[in-house]
Amino acid sequence: MPPPEAKRAVNRSAASLEVDAVTVSFGGLSVLDEVSFSASSGEVLGVIGPNGAGKTTVFNVVCGFVRPSSGRIVWRGRELRHQRPYQLAHLGIARTLQGVGLIAGLSAVENVMVGAEPIARTGVLSGLLGLPRSAGEERRLRARSLEALERLGVAEFAEQHPRALPYPVQKKIAIARALVAGPELVLMDEPASGLSSGEIAELGRLLTSLRGEMGVLIVEHNMDLVMATCDRIVVLDFGKVIAAGTPAEVQANPAVTEAYLGASVESESAGA
Ligand SMILES: Nc1ncnc2c1ncn2[C@@H]1O[C@H](COP(=O)(O)OP(=O)(O)OP(=O)(O)O)[C@@H](O)[C@H]1O
Ligand SMILES: [Mg+2]
């Protein structure tokens, strides 16, 4: 039998998430058409494509918000079927949504504690609702959550309520909530939206620091972020994968240029 380290090394290099011939139709209209790609633990994978290409739908299928009409999502060799979004965290998959989705009635650190649920020995929510939980457990989860806020550089806002905080700070709190339980895969839908170029560069450094620690799948519009941080990129257009490869390969692929040029010409003429 191989030693445990060798086994872990093998698992790390294997594809941990497989999107296998996923088709999604809404009202007879096919939004994803046999989309297949895989993501390995420890890599940063980008999913890009013009508006309406199906990026968020891919994200939603993996999260369990949308059921595919056909095809499979396989996570660490096991098909994910009928999973509810809240069950994902216990499988080691965390996510941040296109908006921020923080709970208004909880402070920043309490929001992050909600993300710590998978590592709690008793329910975090029951704790926040004032139901019995040991003080030691509460302290442990709070400390972990503060560390996550610190990693994102927003620990100073721990006791404040998210609504009062600037949008970029809220986004960082949401990322801290996704990371706090130490997931094996984190999914982010448009993490760069609403951020300044300086904040996007900072986000890029964070994503790079996550490489090797967990798999990262970002659905993103911002090309600079994607090109600078992703190990591999999957390009969607009209619900189909039109290209996949390293940033350099994707940038040099004429089908990609064409898809984006077509999209910009269309939106220009729509705006005219
Ligand atoms: N619930 C739904 N019902 C019907 N059509 C939908 C639904 N969700 C998405 N669509 C359609 O599916 C297509 C893909 O949408 P999706 O949101 O996945 O694209 P996207 O690549 O994320 O776009 P964007 O870049 O604008 O965020 C679009 O034509 C959209 O109108
Ligand atoms: Mg989208």
Side-chain angles (χ1 to χ4, degrees):
M1 241 176 69
E5 315 83 73
K7 204 169 145 213
R8 193 173 307 132
V10 169
N11 285 345
R12 279 223 166 267
S13 62
S16 56
L17 177 77
E18 286 171 64
V19 173
D20 179 21
V22 165
T23 294
V24 171
S25 308
F26 291 119
L29 200 78
S30 157
V31 169
L32 294 182
D33 185 7
E34 305 235 324
V35 167
S36 295
F37 64 86
S38 60
S40 304
S41 311
E43 78 170 338
V44 182
L45 180 76
V47 176
I48 65 170
N51 285 115
K55 303 179 297 294
T56 296
T57 307
V58 164
F59 179 93
N60 286 342
V61 169
V62 176
C63 289
F65 293 136
V66 166
R67 292 267 163 85
S69 324
S70 63
R72 304 181 310 154
I73 305 291
V74 180
W75 169 238
R76 307 176 78 208
R78 248 187 59 200
E79 187 175 350
L80 292 181
R81 294 183 70 190
H82 315 303
Q83 84 281 8
R84 296 268 172 251
Y86 68 84
Q87 291 166 327
L88 279 189
H90 290 274
L91 296 168
I93 304 177
R95 60 178 193 275
T96 64
L97 303 178
Q98 201 158 341
V100 285
L102 296 171
I103 304 168
L106 301 179
S107 69
V109 69
E110 286 167 344
N111 265 281
V112 179
M113 287 171 75
V114 171
E117 166 75 29
I119 52 166
R121 294 186 195 107
T122 52
V124 167
L125 278 176
S126 57
L128 293 173
L129 293 172
L131 299 173
R133 189 173 62 196
S134 82
E137 176 71 347
E138 172 90 19
R139 269 199 304 276
R140 185 178 76 90
L141 295 175
R142 185 171 283 270
R144 281 284 291 256
S145 302
L146 281 171
E147 276 169 30
L149 286 172
E150 230 156 74
R151 179 172 190 178
L152 271 297
V154 289
E156 66 192 284
F157 305 106
E159 302 307 330
Q160 296 191 39
H161 283 254
R163 250 201 306 233
L165 296 170
Y167 185 73
V169 174
Q170 293 186 30
K171 284 203 105 159
K172 287 178 181 177
I173 296 166
I175 295 175
R177 181 175 63 184
L179 299 183
V180 67
E184 283 176 66
L185 176 69
V186 63
L187 309 164
M188 300 185 185
D189 193 4
E190 307 251 359
S193 73
L195 300 184
S196 69
S197 59
E199 287 153 356
I200 293 171
E202 203 183 319
L203 174 67
R205 287 192 289 277
L206 170 78
L207 296 178
T208 304
S209 81
L210 296 177
R211 174 181 290 128
E213 199 179 316
M214 63 189 73
V216 180
L217 194 162
I218 60 169
V219 162
E220 187 49 69
H221 260 298
N222 189 287
M223 276 309 155
D224 293 343
L225 177 70
V226 168
M227 292 299 164
T229 59
C230 291
D231 297 298
R232 283 191 310 123
I233 297 171
V234 173
V235 189
L236 292 176
D237 192 25
F238 294 112
K240 287 188 202 294
V241 175
I242 58 159
T246 62
E249 285 166 352
V250 159
Q251 255 173 330
N253 188 324
V256 177
T257 323
E258 214 170 286
Y260 275 92
L261 277 179
S264 65
V265 169
E266 267 168 38
S267 59
E268 267 167 38
S269 45

